Every structure is written in C-alpha cells, then in structure tokens.
Amino acid sequence: MTTHPSSSAQPPSLPAFLLTTPPPVPPPSEPRLKALYASTASQRHSNPTGYAANVSWWSTVLRETLRSGWVNGDVAGHVQRDGADRLVLKVDEALVGKYEWDGRRPKGLGGVVETLATKSSPTLHPLSTFLASPTPLRAPPSITYRLVGRPLWWALGQLNPFGGEREVGEDECWKRFGKGREYVHMELLEQSASAFVSHLTSNPLLSYSSSLFNPTTFRETFGEAAFPGGNKGLPSGTHRLGEKDCEVLMKWLGRDVIKLLEPGENAAEHEITEADRGTLSIILTLDKLEKQIEDIESQLVSAQAKAKKHLAANQRSLAMSALRSKKALEEILDRRIGAAEQLRGVVRSIDQAKGDVEIMSAYSTSTTTLSHILRNPKLDAEYIASTTDALSEALADAHEIDEAVRIGGKIAVGAAGGGGELEEEELREELEGMVREEKERQAREEREERERQERQEREKREKEQKEQKEREEKEKEEQEKVGQLVNTAAASGKNESARREEVLVPPGGSSEDLWKHRYEDAQRREKEEKERAEVERMRRDERRAVAEGE
C-alpha cells in the first residue's frame, strides 16, 4: 500500500494508513476518528451499539492493511514489501505504533482482537493452535462442548468475587490476546484458498510429477495465483503470499507435502505415500541440479574472461590457472548435466508409469462396465431372436394392412363415379401441354439470346470498321501535311541557295571565286553548328544539374 503526501482534498490530520491509495476504509470525520481511537473494551456494556460499530471499523482496517501489505511492510508501514505475510497478523506494540495518529495510539485494539478471536466463527485464530490442530477448524463442536464446555467457560468468565457483573478491561484483553501473539486471518485465508481452487480449475495439472509440492515450490508456483483478492482494490505492484502464508494455506489444504487431486477424486483414497515423497525428493534434487548448472555456467564465463584478461596483461601463469579452473568446471558441468538428464528420465518414467496405471484402471473400469451392460436380460440371445421375430411379424402385418387400405380406396373411388381413368387422361394431357409450353419458352429464350449476341457482334464490327476508317483518313491527312511541308522546305532551300550564290558571287565574278566563297560559307556554317551544339550541351548540363539538385 503506497502512502501519498496530504493534499487539499484530504485533511493533513488523517493517520498514515488512511492516506494510502486506495485507503482501507473511507476516511471518517475528525470527531469520529477521535472516538475510534478512544474506544476501549469497557464500552461494550455502557454503549454496546457504538462499541460494535467501532469493532467493525477496526476489523476492516486490520483486514485491508494486512491484505495490502501495509501492516507487514517496513518499520513505518509505508512501503509494500513483496513476500510480506498477508494472512498472519502479529498483535504487538509495533502494530499499535503503525496506527499512531498525531501522538495518539488506538486504545482498544486488545478488545477488538479479543472480539474477533472469541466470536462463534472466529475471524482471528491463534497461529499455534491452527498449525497444531489435527481436525478441520470449521468442524462443528461436539455435543459435550456445546452443552457443558461453552456455558461453563462463560460462567467462569463472569464470576466476580466482589459482587456485580465482572467487566473485562482493555489491559486484560491486551494481556490475554496481544503481547506478540500471532493470528491467522480466517477470512483472508478462505479467500486465498478460493483463489487457489479457481486457478487450478482454469489451469489443470497435466502430469503426476507436477502435482507434488513442498512449501518452497508451492510459494514459487502459486504465491500470486492464491493471493486473496477480496472486493477492495489493491495498490499497484506485485502481490503474493509470504512464506508463513504458504505454510498456513498448506496446512489448510493438506500437510507438508501437497498432492493435488483430479476433480471427483476422494482424498481418503489418495493419501500421500512414500512414493509421493520420493518423487517430490527427486523433483527437488533436479531443481537443485539445474540451479547448480546455471551457477557453474556463470563461473565458466568468468574463468574464460579472467584467462583473456591475464593473457592480455602478459600474465601467463595466472591465465593458465584460470584455464585449469575452467577445465575443472567443464568436467563438473558435464557430470551435473548427465545427472540432471538421468533424473529427468526418471521423472518421465514415473509420469509414464503413473499414466499407465491410470490407463489400466480405465481399462478395468471399462471391462467392468461393459460386462455389467452385457448381463442385461434384454441382450440375451433368445430374447433378441424372439424380439426380432416379433418385429418382422408386426412389419408384415402392417404391410398387409396398408395394401388392404390402398385396394379398398381404389374400389371406393370406382364405386363413387367410375371417372378415375378419364380424370387421369385429362391430367396427362395437361401435363404434356405444360411440357410443350416449357420447351417453347426455352426455345424462345435461346433464340432471343442468340439474336442479342449476333446484334452485339454486328455492332462491334461496325464500330471497329468506323474506327479503322477514321484512322486511315487521319493518316492520309497527316501524310498530305508532311508533303506540303517538304515541298515548302525544298522551295525555300532553292530560293536560299540562289540568294546565297547571288550574295557570295559578286557580279562579274569567276568560277574560282564562286568555289572559294562556297568553301568559306561551308566553314562558317560548320563553325556556327559547333557553337550551337556547344550551347545546347551546356543547356542540357544545366537542366540536369537543376534536376539533380531538386
């Protein structure tokens, strides 16, 4: 249970256990809290109703602070400790100190414990008598105890040599029921047992060896599953039973070795035997070997690291010593692994043998059941023969009766009008007409479907022809345009050549001058083409660089 600092929503004068999240009980008002801390056993006669309400409040506080781990946490009671006892309450000065509030200590805890421990179905049961009791604690009291023992102890408790009704004070309650005495909280114990049974119902055990536990393995396996959940919330964190809790729960369920039975099995017929104890001893030895193997493996890793470290430091003798240790550990590890594997084989053989016993028991039960069923008089051979003969005769009689009824019906119809054959002929003609109509309908649907497909094919062909014609016309137009462009370019070229010759060749020039001008013009055009190509290349490079940058 976690303690939080006080805030504006909670008065700072509340005791520590009421400042936890969630609180064990709703925090009362300050006057009510003072009354609860001042209540003592002497008020049970002067104000029985109020005293009963106070006892109920403190009973809830004891239960919830014990269940949440607050009571058996650290010295201040502020920290939840994993494994703290949740079923066993120790009533001592330390417990009273944990409930201290502004210098006040609860004055009536002795009377509260006395009431919870002495009522007809005790909530608190002394731990020592709980563990020593050979009989179930919830067993009804004997007739002698009910008629003699309880009235006698009640009478002795009320005697007062000074006259008047004897009142039990708080000091006497604390002396008799406090002072370090330990109690089992029966309500939490029953919740824990219920959670344990629910867990087993949802997670049945699958083998004989997995049904045997000692206190340590029981706590490791069921410490969380058997935790008393109750109806109130718990603080966040891990909640599981402590060691003493498991001892109490195991006592409640069985003895030092717990053997879990299948549903419907009788505990009296499946007592814990020496074979069970021997199997548990093997399982515990195997667990110990596995832990030893893990420890040896860690030592091997350490020895290997030491050898490398010493070798790196040029300390060959120390490196050799570490390697010798490693070699010895490897030999021990091999022997431990071999022994563990042998024990696993033994456990598997035990489980197999136990399963074989159960199978043979099932065979025996099946044989007995089948023999009992076969001894039924109704399965006697003569009875079966007579029964089947009688059934055959009954079926034959039923067939004869059915035939007689059918023939009698035909005779009755003929006697009524004799028109049976005519009606039959009319029905046949009507049926043939229906068949003809059906055939005509099918033929009509097939013809319509065929016409529809032909129409679709025709439309498809017309569409394709139209598209082909359009493509041809378009190609023809494009060819005409290209021809016109070519003609225009050719005419333009001729005109340009003539103009260039007119420019290059001055009037009255010779043929040699003409060729010279043509050569110079060709050189000039070649140079211009190279310059244009270079400019175009630079532009492409520039565009490529821009694209790569993006």
Side-chain angles (χ1 to χ4, degrees):
M1 186 173 287
T2 306
T3 302
H4 295 284
S6 59
S7 62
S8 59
Q10 292 179 322
S13 60
L14 287 177
F17 68 90
L18 289 179
L19 294 174
T20 56
T21 303
V25 292
S29 64
E30 189 168 346
R32 170 61 179 156
L33 198 56
K34 290 180 179 179
L36 289 167
Y37 268 72
S39 175
T40 62
S42 60
Q43 296 178 0
R44 74 178 69 193
H45 298 295
S46 60
N47 183 14
T49 302
Y51 183 74
N54 295 344
V55 169
S56 175
W57 190 86
W58 278 110
S59 173
T60 304
V61 169
L62 288 172
R63 183 190 68 220
E64 293 306 316
T65 53
L66 176 62
R67 184 172 70 96
S68 66
W70 189 88
V71 164
N72 292 325
D74 68 348
V75 177
H78 296 167
V79 179
Q80 172 196 330
R81 179 162 54 89
D82 180 30
D85 291 324
R86 312 298 181 92
L87 307 180
V88 178
L89 177 69
K90 186 174 183 179
V91 182
D92 56 5
E93 291 295 331
L95 177 67
V96 179
K98 288 184 178 181
Y99 294 117
E100 186 173 340
W101 165 52
D102 285 350
R104 299 182 180 89
R105 287 193 170 198
K107 296 181 179 180
L109 276 187
V112 173
V113 174
E114 184 258 354
T115 301
L116 297 177
T118 58
K119 61 182 183 178
S120 59
S121 181
T123 299
L124 298 179
H125 199 288
L127 177 63
S128 57
T129 58
F130 178 92
L131 295 176
S133 175
T135 58
L137 297 180
R138 295 304 193 193
S142 65
I143 186 69
T144 304
Y145 177 77
R146 282 187 281 115
L147 296 181
V148 178
R150 185 178 295 174
L152 178 61
W153 282 108
W154 179 85
L156 291 176
Q158 302 302 315
L159 289 178
N160 184 355
F162 299 101
E165 189 178 80
R166 180 174 179 273
E167 290 187 0
V168 180
E170 184 62 33
D171 292 340
E172 184 175 350
C173 288
W174 183 256
K175 183 186 295 185
R176 291 174 56 189
F177 296 95
K179 291 206 168 219
R181 288 176 176 81
E182 292 183 300
Y183 295 90
V184 177
H185 200 291
M186 299 302 296
E187 184 178 342
L188 295 179
L189 174 59
E190 290 174 351
Q191 291 178 9
S192 179
S194 176
F196 174 72
V197 172
S198 299
H199 176 76
L200 285 186
T201 303
S202 304
N203 303 274
L205 302 174
L206 301 179
S207 65
Y208 164 70
S209 61
S210 64
S211 65
L212 301 173
F213 300 91
N214 72 346
T216 302
T217 57
F218 182 86
R219 181 172 180 267
E220 292 174 355
T221 307
F222 302 110
E224 291 187 43
F227 188 82
N231 298 322
K232 291 184 177 294
L234 287 168
S236 59
T238 301
H239 296 275
R240 66 173 186 163
L241 300 179
E243 295 179 359
K244 197 173 292 184
D245 296 335
C246 290
E247 182 182 1
V248 168
L249 182 58
M250 288 175 61
K251 176 61 181 177
W252 184 255
L253 298 172
R255 275 314 250 171
D256 291 343
V257 177
I258 292 181
K259 182 178 180 180
L260 303 179
L261 304 180
E262 296 291 337
E265 291 183 346
N266 186 2
E269 299 176 358
H270 296 80
E271 296 181 354
I272 296 174
T273 63
E274 291 301 321
D276 297 332
R277 292 187 173 87
T279 303
L280 180 59
S281 176
I282 294 172
I283 294 172
L284 296 177
T285 304
L286 179 58
D287 291 340
K288 187 182 296 184
L289 278 175
E290 290 177 347
K291 292 178 181 178
Q292 291 178 2
I293 289 171
E294 292 178 359
D295 181 62
I296 293 171
E297 288 176 344
S298 64
Q299 292 183 42
L300 278 172
V301 174
S302 177
Q304 180 73 15
K306 286 181 180 179
K308 291 182 178 180
K309 178 181 177 182
H310 294 319
L311 188 60
N314 201 20
Q315 298 172 338
R316 298 181 62 84
S317 59
L318 294 178
M320 287 295 295
S321 176
L323 290 176
R324 290 191 191 97
S325 299
K326 178 188 173 187
K327 183 66 175 177
L329 288 171
E330 288 175 347
E331 294 176 358
I332 297 173
L333 180 62
D334 291 339
R335 289 196 294 270
R336 291 291 184 271
I337 291 175
E341 186 57 35
Q342 289 179 355
L343 288 180
R344 290 191 192 94
V346 171
V347 173
R348 285 193 295 267
S349 299
I350 291 173
D351 286 336
Q352 182 178 354
K354 188 69 176 179
D356 293 341
V357 170
E358 295 175 355
I359 292 172
M360 293 307 299
S361 176
Y363 285 168
S364 176
T365 303
S366 301
T367 302
T368 304
T369 304
L370 183 59
S371 300
H372 179 74
I373 294 173
L374 293 175
R375 284 197 297 270
N376 193 304
K378 294 183 178 181
L379 296 180
D380 183 71
E382 294 181 359
Y383 181 82
I384 292 173
S386 62
T387 302
T388 53
D389 291 342
L391 179 61
S392 300
E393 293 177 1
L395 291 175
D397 293 341
H399 180 70
E400 291 178 0
I401 292 171
D402 181 68
E403 189 68 19
V405 170
R406 188 177 62 80
I407 295 172
K410 288 184 177 181
I411 295 173
V413 170
E421 295 181 357
L422 181 59
E423 292 179 358
E424 190 73 18
E425 183 67 23
E426 291 177 354
L427 291 175
R428 280 197 296 271
E429 291 179 357
E430 184 177 355
L431 179 61
E432 290 176 358
M434 292 174 65
V435 171
R436 285 194 301 273
E437 290 178 359
E438 181 65 20
K439 288 182 178 180
E440 291 175 356
R441 185 187 64 79
Q442 292 179 356
R444 183 171 60 255
E445 290 179 354
E446 291 176 357
R447 184 172 59 256
E448 292 176 353
E449 178 65 20
R450 192 163 50 251
E451 291 176 354
R452 185 182 65 80
Q453 292 180 356
E454 291 176 354
R455 184 170 59 255
Q456 290 179 351
E457 290 292 333
R458 185 170 58 255
E459 291 176 353
K460 183 178 180 181
R461 286 194 300 271
E462 291 177 353
K463 183 178 180 181
E464 290 177 352
Q465 291 174 359
K466 182 179 180 182
E467 291 177 351
Q468 180 65 22
K469 185 177 179 181
E470 290 177 352
R471 284 197 299 271
E472 291 176 353
E473 291 178 352
K474 188 175 181 180
E475 289 176 358
K476 184 177 179 181
E477 291 177 357
E478 290 179 353
Q479 289 176 358
E480 290 177 353
K481 289 180 181 180
V482 170
Q484 292 175 0
L485 291 174
V486 170
N487 295 333
T488 303
S492 176
K494 290 179 180 179
N495 295 334
E496 180 64 22
S497 298
R499 186 187 65 77
R500 188 180 295 113
E501 289 179 358
E502 291 174 359
V503 172
L504 293 176
V505 181
S510 65
S511 176
E512 182 179 352
D513 293 333
L514 174 63
W515 286 108
K516 181 179 179 181
H517 285 294
R518 285 180 178 176
Y519 174 78
E520 291 175 353
D521 183 67
Q523 292 294 323
R524 181 182 55 78
R525 283 189 281 106
E526 183 179 358
K527 183 179 180 181
E528 290 176 354
E529 289 294 332
K530 288 181 178 181
E531 290 176 354
R532 282 197 298 271
E534 182 66 19
V535 171
E536 184 63 27
R537 183 185 65 78
M538 292 176 65
R539 289 178 180 174
R540 286 199 302 270
D541 293 342
E542 184 179 358
R543 288 195 297 270
R544 187 182 302 110
V546 172
E548 290 176 354
E550 294 176 350

